[in-house]
Amino acid sequence: MKNIEEVLKFVESSVYSQTEEHLNDLQRIILRESWQRTKKTYDSIAEEYGYSANYIKQGVAPKLWRLLSHALGEKVTKTNLHSVLERNMTADKQTLATINAPSTTSAIAQLIDSDLHFDLELPLESVPLDSPFYIERVPDEQRCYQEITRDGAFIRIKAPRQMGKTSLMMRILAQANQKGYKTGLLHFQQAEASVLNDINRLLRWLCANLSLQLGLKPNLDEFWDEDIGSKMSCTLYLQYIFSQVDSPIVVAFDEVNEIIENLEIAREFLSLLRFWHEKTKADSLWRKLRLVMVHSTEIYIPLDINQSPLNVGVRVELQPFTIEQILELVKRYGLALDTKQIEQLMRLLAGHPYLSRLSLYHLARGEVTFQELLETASTDTGIYSDRLHRCLWYFQQNPALLAAFKQVVKSHLPIALEQVDAFKLHSMGLVHLDGNQVTVSCDLYRDYFRERIGDK
């Protein structure tokens, strides 16, 4: 078996020659431990070196194997690491470098046709941490990474659905894990409707979930007291959690808009978040708490200015991709689109991140030509049909909102809508807000819905 130092030198050289990236310290640790005949599990590595197991499993390790796969031209995993490296370390390095040169069209074609077709990942709701197709949101991303290191940080991420909110949130949590912070993610779409409609059950759900994610045994009944109420009981329980954990704790709330329909529950919960944030300023124990809140729509619930969490912390409102970001994404997919095609794609989708990735994914796989993509875009059989059908189904359940959107579709000029209707349509990504007026966000939605609801 080759010496680990020799292996590290070879891997470093191979990865850098193809990606211009260096391995970080944790990647080297994973490589060392994976090279041993008795391989350690990711959980064991995390415990021994003081990292979060999820951070290694979901972030660092997958990126390491992807970097090696790209550098060596074949899929590399923890399981086949020995055989792949032994073979490649004795191969002709000059030939290897030529085969894997990323600048040539033939090399891109080989990567797509080979076992590396997994690089063309099917776009999902959020972009994996190790994905080569993630586009950094400048300057929002670095601002969030810096903010999360501050005592009592509060980051609020807002954007319509599938614009990249959860992807950014997961990267903030990964950065926090890397710094040794503890993290908890509370996704309101995972809570049952009965939980979302009862503030006591909602706060118990929150405390139980957070305890389990932090490796603590839920001990709610010792702190829950109906005489002082669920909000104070929850607050005392969080204070207990802070006393059990030495590091800062980042708590992220995803899809907060799930509770907005119940005005009373939303008012109670949002005012509680503000209360917790205020405690971080005066109580040294509470300074451990950092909050991240993600939501799809404007929160139109009337709250006293001193009770609202919407006027504190850092507000991040994600925007559609610019043409420069689309060009970068096209490059990463190995496509050659001309200026006219890029402009047509921008008019069709207005830089919507998820829909843009979906388009380039199907083009890169050769499942549709660019002309076919345009011709079938607003049909019930095109690549966007799932997204369009979900919107149409939602309108069928909400006829009043359908009537409002019908006005927008029929108008060639910006129009004013009831505030709540405008916010809901914006959260769906269907309209662009400009002050008190709205317009259809892109040609895809205008063309599809004009034919189906425009004359009804």
Side-chain angles (χ1 to χ4, degrees):
M1 185 171 71
K2 288 183 169 55
N3 180 279
I4 183 59
E5 297 305 324
E6 183 183 358
V7 170
L8 280 171
K9 183 177 180 180
F10 172 75
V11 170
E12 284 272 16
S13 175
S14 300
V15 169
Y16 185 77
S17 70
Q18 297 303 318
T19 67
E20 295 188 354
E21 289 191 41
H22 291 289
L23 298 185
N24 60 38
D25 290 341
L26 183 51
Q27 287 172 329
R28 293 189 189 93
I29 288 171
I30 294 171
L31 190 59
R32 283 179 180 276
E33 299 296 352
S34 299
W35 184 253
Q36 304 303 321
R37 287 299 183 190
T38 304
K39 298 181 177 67
K40 291 183 179 178
T41 65
Y42 292 142
D43 288 328
S44 298
I45 295 173
E47 182 176 357
E48 180 174 345
Y49 292 94
Y51 288 90
S52 160
N54 284 339
Y55 175 57
I56 292 178
K57 293 176 185 177
Q58 299 174 15
V60 182
K63 182 176 181 180
L64 172 62
W65 307 134
R66 184 183 68 77
L67 285 172
L68 284 172
S69 298
H70 180 68
L72 302 178
E74 59 181 299
K75 188 173 182 179
V76 180
T77 67
K78 188 179 181 183
T79 303
N80 70 2
L81 179 66
H82 268 277
S83 59
V84 173
L85 287 185
E86 291 278 4
R87 182 171 63 254
N88 278 277
M89 288 177 71
T90 57
D92 184 341
K93 293 182 176 58
Q94 184 63 44
T95 302
L96 182 64
T98 302
I99 291 174
N100 287 286
S103 61
T104 65
T105 303
S106 61
I108 292 171
Q110 289 176 30
L111 289 177
I112 293 174
D113 292 337
S114 74
D115 286 340
L116 288 184
H117 66 273
F118 66 88
D119 278 351
L120 290 178
E121 62 200 17
L122 178 66
L124 301 173
E125 292 296 317
S126 62
V127 186
L129 291 175
D130 64 326
S131 172
F133 303 112
Y134 178 74
I135 299 296
E136 184 177 354
R137 314 306 281 262
V138 179
D140 295 327
E141 202 153 319
Q142 291 303 319
R143 184 186 181 196
C144 289
Y145 295 161
Q146 182 178 8
E147 181 65 20
I148 206 65
T149 65
R150 303 182 190 278
D151 290 346
F154 194 160
I155 300 173
R156 296 175 289 110
I157 305 172
K158 172 186 166 298
R161 290 185 177 90
Q162 297 181 314
M163 286 285 289
K165 302 182 300 301
T166 301
S167 298
L168 175 55
M169 176 194 69
M170 295 305 295
R171 282 156 178 79
I172 295 171
L173 294 180
Q175 285 284 323
N177 279 323
Q178 192 170 14
K179 292 181 178 298
Y181 300 173
K182 298 295 184 181
T183 61
L185 172 57
L186 299 164
H187 197 308
F188 285 108
Q189 284 188 339
Q190 294 179 343
E192 299 172 0
S194 59
V195 170
L196 298 177
N197 289 303
D198 183 321
I199 190 63
N200 183 63
R201 292 192 63 187
L202 177 64
L203 296 181
R204 287 182 68 91
W205 173 86
L206 183 159
C207 290
N209 272 273
L210 184 58
S211 297
L212 292 171
Q213 292 184 48
L214 296 177
L216 301 173
K217 182 179 179 180
N219 189 23
L220 277 64
D221 290 338
E222 184 175 332
F223 293 86
W224 230 259
D225 187 333
E226 63 180 20
D227 291 330
I228 65 174
S230 57
K231 290 168 68 174
M232 183 55 69
S233 296
C234 179
T235 300
L236 292 173
Y237 188 81
L238 287 188
Q239 192 162 298
Y240 155 73
I241 286 180
F242 300 152
S243 70
Q244 302 299 304
V245 178
D246 293 333
S247 66
I249 301 173
V250 180
V251 182
F253 300 99
D254 199 7
E255 295 296 349
V256 172
N257 47 287
E258 288 293 317
I259 66 171
I260 291 176
E261 294 300 320
N262 189 320
L263 298 185
E264 188 57 37
I265 298 297
R267 186 180 293 109
E268 296 279 8
F269 179 74
L270 293 173
S271 64
L272 185 58
L273 289 187
R274 172 62 181 264
F275 176 69
W276 292 344
H277 177 65
E278 294 299 327
K279 284 184 72 67
T280 65
K281 300 177 182 178
D283 190 318
S284 59
L285 192 60
W286 278 79
R287 286 179 192 147
K288 294 180 179 180
L289 178 64
R290 283 103 160 113
L291 295 171
V292 181
M293 186 174 83
V294 176
H295 55 107
S296 300
T297 185
E298 293 286 353
I299 296 178
Y300 42 84
I301 298 167
L303 286 170
D304 183 277
I305 190 171
N306 296 315
Q307 294 182 321
S308 174
L310 306 179
N311 53 9
V312 295
V314 170
R315 173 188 170 102
V316 176
E317 188 162 355
L318 297 182
Q319 301 299 320
F321 283 161
T322 63
I323 194 166
E324 291 78 16
Q325 288 172 316
I326 293 294
L327 285 169
E328 175 62 26
L329 199 53
V330 168
K331 177 182 176 182
R332 295 186 191 185
Y333 275 96
L335 294 168
L337 301 184
D338 59 34
T339 302
K340 181 180 178 181
Q341 289 172 321
I342 294 292
E343 291 174 348
Q344 289 174 311
L345 192 63
M346 286 296 290
R347 284 196 299 272
L348 179 67
L349 305 175
H352 189 284
Y354 169 75
L355 296 178
S356 298
R357 286 197 304 122
L358 185 66
S359 306
L360 300 179
Y361 168 80
H362 286 286
L363 288 171
R365 286 180 61 87
E367 296 174 348
V368 63
T369 66
F370 191 82
Q371 189 58 38
E372 290 170 341
L373 183 148
L374 294 180
E375 291 174 352
T376 62
S378 59
T379 70
D380 288 315
T381 58
I383 64 172
Y384 313 111
S385 59
D386 285 347
R387 166 72 175 162
L388 297 170
H389 291 164
R390 283 199 298 271
C391 292
L392 191 58
W393 177 87
Y394 188 79
F395 280 139
Q396 290 168 351
Q397 315 307 311
N398 298 271
L401 192 61
L402 172 61
F405 189 55
K406 181 177 179 179
Q407 297 177 52
V408 185
V409 169
K410 292 176 67 175
S411 176
H412 295 286
L413 298 172
I415 66 169
L417 293 178
E418 291 289 334
Q419 186 183 58
V420 173
D421 289 338
F423 288 162
K424 287 182 178 180
L425 291 171
H426 183 253
S427 76
M428 296 171 69
L430 297 177
V431 301
H432 171 69
L433 287 175
D434 186 6
N436 295 324
Q437 296 188 312
V438 302
T439 54
V440 180
S441 61
C442 63
D443 285 354
L444 173 66
Y445 296 135
R446 182 182 297 280
D447 294 343
Y448 182 79
F449 287 107
R450 177 180 285 162
E451 179 178 340
R452 283 154 185 80
I453 68 174
D455 297 323
K456 295 181 181 179

